[in-house]
Amino acid sequence: DVKVTQSSRYLVKRTGEKVFLECVQDMDHENMFWYRQDPGLGLRLIYFSYDVKMKEKGDIPEGYSVSREKKERFSLILESASTNQTSMYLCASSSGQILSGANVLTFGAGSRLTVL
Amino acid sequence: AQRVTQPEKLLSVFKGAPVELKCNYSYSGSPELFWYVQYSRQRLQLLLRHISRESIKGFTADLNKGETSFHLKKPFAQEEDSAMYYCALAGINDYKLSFGAGTTVTVRA
């Protein structure tokens, strides 16, 4: 019954390493999102995509990039990991030809990244 | 700019007592408001949205445009209501869903 799958639940990386976080959804959703979740800050949008090969910056894109080569897959890339990127990363998807914040999000289980 | 404020980081109530989670927002137009919930070791999921005007798991939330609030209420808290709750706002014709900082609710027996 899993609909949004994040490949890694826990990762530990070193400063400067390149990190890939993978997300796959099986609901044929057009829209996919990457958020980071931090205590006291809530969820902050990093990047989103409304179509294959399309991407848009969210509120905190610095230090991150994304890739969406196939509709079902949305990858978050940390080119050079830093300690301030230690966080829980949540992938989400939503349906709808019109990209709207009102579309209900389906979330993955999260990937907890620790950068040493 | 749109903003969602949840003033309480932690909320502790006894089982059977009423619980109210506060949410205030700032937005220049007519927003859509949501409550998302994350139970322990589960995924974040939608609890309710104001346009549905429904009660989910005994929770209700009323949009008060005059006070720019969307407080979540339940008359009799249960232990299974212990979770992290996020209030969220979507602007009209806007891709973005903005989340508050979240409130952790603990219901004690």
Side-chain angles (χ1 to χ4, degrees), chain A residues 4 37 48 59 101-102 105, chain B residues 36 38 43 49 86 94 96:
Chain A
V4 179
Q37 182 183 29
F48 68 99
D59 296 320
L105 296 176
Chain B
Y36 279 79
Q38 187 168 29
R43 297 162 187 240
R49 56 195 303 182
Y86 291 98
D94 187 357
K96 186 175 175 180

Side-chain angles (χ1 to χ4, degrees), chain B residues 21-55:
Chain B
L21 288 74
K22 291 183 167 41
C23 173
N24 291 91
Y25 67 89
S26 63
Y27 184 70
S28 57
S30 295
E32 291 200 45
L33 275 296
F34 306 79
W35 279 98
Y36 279 79
V37 61
Q38 187 168 29
Y39 302 102
S40 179
R41 289 183 288 278
Q42 293 189 28
R43 297 162 187 240
L44 192 61
Q45 59 186 291
L46 177 71
L47 179 62
L48 57 79
R49 56 195 303 182
H50 88 272
I51 61 171
S52 301
R53 296 186 178 277
E54 57 191 345
S55 173

Side-chain angles (χ1 to χ4, degrees), chain A residues 2 4 33 35 37 40-43 45 48 57 59 90 99-105 107-109, chain B residues 9 32 34 36 38 43-46 49 84 86 90-91 93-102:
Chain A
V2 174
V4 179
F33 306 81
Y35 287 88
Q37 182 183 29
L41 296 177
L43 275 72
L45 182 63
F48 68 99
K57 294 179 180 179
D59 296 320
L90 298 181
L99 179 58
S100 168
N103 296 338
V104 176
L105 296 176
F107 283 90
Chain B
K9 288 186 177 180
E32 291 200 45
F34 306 79
Y36 279 79
Q38 187 168 29
R43 297 162 187 240
L44 192 61
Q45 59 186 291
L46 177 71
R49 56 195 303 182
M84 171 72 90
Y86 291 98
N93 297 322
D94 187 357
Y95 69 88
K96 186 175 175 180
L97 186 65
S98 297
F99 287 84

